[in-house]
Amino acid sequence: LFFILLGLSTIFPFINLIAKSLSSEAAVVSGMVTLYPIDFQLGTYRFVASNALFLNAFVVSVTVTAIGSLLSLFMTTLAAYPLSKPRLRARKAFIIMYLFTMLFSGGLIPTYLLMHELHLIDKLPVLFLPFMINVYNMLIIKSYFESLPESLEESAKMDGASNMTILARIILPLSLPVLATIALFYAVTFWNDYFTSLIYINSADLKPLQLYLKELFVSSSDT
């Protein structure tokens, strides 16, 4: 019962936000809105539905989140599977190389120059291609793969299965919980990210929702 009540309490901010969006401005400013709308209205939703920039930014965010999450999960899984095998040659060296990228990076300016040389500036792929593998997420999947019984792979190899067949038909079906968790991690990261688009995106029709809302908030604050 305690955890049910605790879980329900986390929904309160979302209910409060929805109630405010359906209430009048005076009711919201006065702090009267809690769990239900006051002076019910749909003007805010009509404004959003008729705002082409908002709708375009929303589509961009959904596209980047969907494509980026799927590609990142795919690449992260392909990196984690061989690194989970002790028989991999130079395994420790590869792991150290990955860990090195967690501690050090080239910096913003070299990264920008690299994106420029790759002709990705002001292109939609720049929002997800540079972030295909998160090393922390990769290590989580790697650890999960290492916890699976090695006998499953040995029996599959005796039946003539290749490494990719073992991964696709045995390892991945058994790893759905960790894959779903990492997919959620990636989706939240791509959805909330605005700094990448702030640096690399110039065209208004390629700005994601988070950058659009940030610019909207800044402009409203200035006025």
Side-chain angles (χ1 to χ4, degrees), residues 120-159:
L120 290 176
I121 299 298
D122 208 24
K123 303 287 181 59
L124 193 63
V126 77
L127 298 180
F128 54 84
L129 283 183
F131 314 102
M132 285 292 92
I133 295 181
N134 181 290
V135 178
Y136 178 77
N137 294 339
M138 187 272 291
L139 293 177
I140 294 177
I141 298 180
K142 168 183 167 294
S143 298
Y144 191 91
F145 287 165
E146 290 174 340
S147 68
L148 298 177
E150 190 69 24
S151 58
L152 293 175
E153 296 192 35
E154 293 175 355
S155 60
K157 286 185 177 180
M158 292 178 62
D159 292 334

Side-chain angles (χ1 to χ4, degrees), residues 24 49 71 111 139:
S24 65
L71 288 179
T111 304
L139 293 177

Side-chain angles (χ1 to χ4, degrees), residues 169-221:
R169 304 187 63 177
I170 297 178
I171 302 301
L172 294 185
L174 294 175
S175 306
L176 290 181
V178 70
L179 295 179
T181 302
I182 298 304
L184 182 60
F185 286 173
Y186 275 124
V188 171
T189 300
F190 282 114
W191 179 262
N192 289 333
D193 181 42
Y194 79 91
F195 185 75
T196 303
S197 55
L198 179 65
I199 299 300
Y200 300 121
I201 298 298
N202 300 317
S203 302
D205 58 342
L206 293 179
K207 291 182 180 180
L209 182 61
Q210 284 65 34
L211 180 59
Y212 170 77
L213 293 177
K214 177 184 179 299
E215 293 178 347
L216 187 66
F217 178 78
V218 171
S219 62
S220 62
S221 299

Side-chain angles (χ1 to χ4, degrees), residues 21-150:
S21 69
L22 295 171
S23 303
S24 65
E25 182 179 0
V28 173
V29 173
S30 61
M32 299 169 57
V33 183
T34 53
L35 297 178
Y36 54 88
I38 296 179
D39 298 334
F40 182 83
Q41 55 84 31
L42 294 174
T44 51
Y45 288 91
R46 294 193 188 98
F47 172 79
V48 168
S50 61
N51 191 323
L53 290 177
F54 179 90
L55 296 178
N56 181 78
F58 180 79
V59 171
V60 171
S61 284
V62 171
T63 302
V64 170
T65 300
I67 298 177
S69 300
L70 291 175
L71 288 179
S72 296
L73 183 63
F74 177 74
M75 296 298 296
T76 303
T77 302
L78 290 184
Y81 180 62
L83 290 177
S84 67
K85 305 304 171 188
R87 64 180 182 272
L88 177 68
R89 294 182 180 180
R91 174 174 177 261
K92 291 185 178 180
F94 284 117
I95 293 177
I96 291 175
M97 289 171 60
Y98 276 103
L99 292 176
F100 184 86
T101 64
M102 293 183 63
L103 303 176
F104 306 98
S105 67
L108 181 58
I109 295 178
T111 304
Y112 183 90
L113 294 176
L114 175 62
M115 295 301 106
H116 183 270
E117 290 297 322
L118 294 175
H119 304 287
L120 290 176
I121 299 298
D122 208 24
K123 303 287 181 59
L124 193 63
V126 77
L127 298 180
F128 54 84
L129 283 183
F131 314 102
M132 285 292 92
I133 295 181
N134 181 290
V135 178
Y136 178 77
N137 294 339
M138 187 272 291
L139 293 177
I140 294 177
I141 298 180
K142 168 183 167 294
S143 298
Y144 191 91
F145 287 165
E146 290 174 340
S147 68
L148 298 177
E150 190 69 24

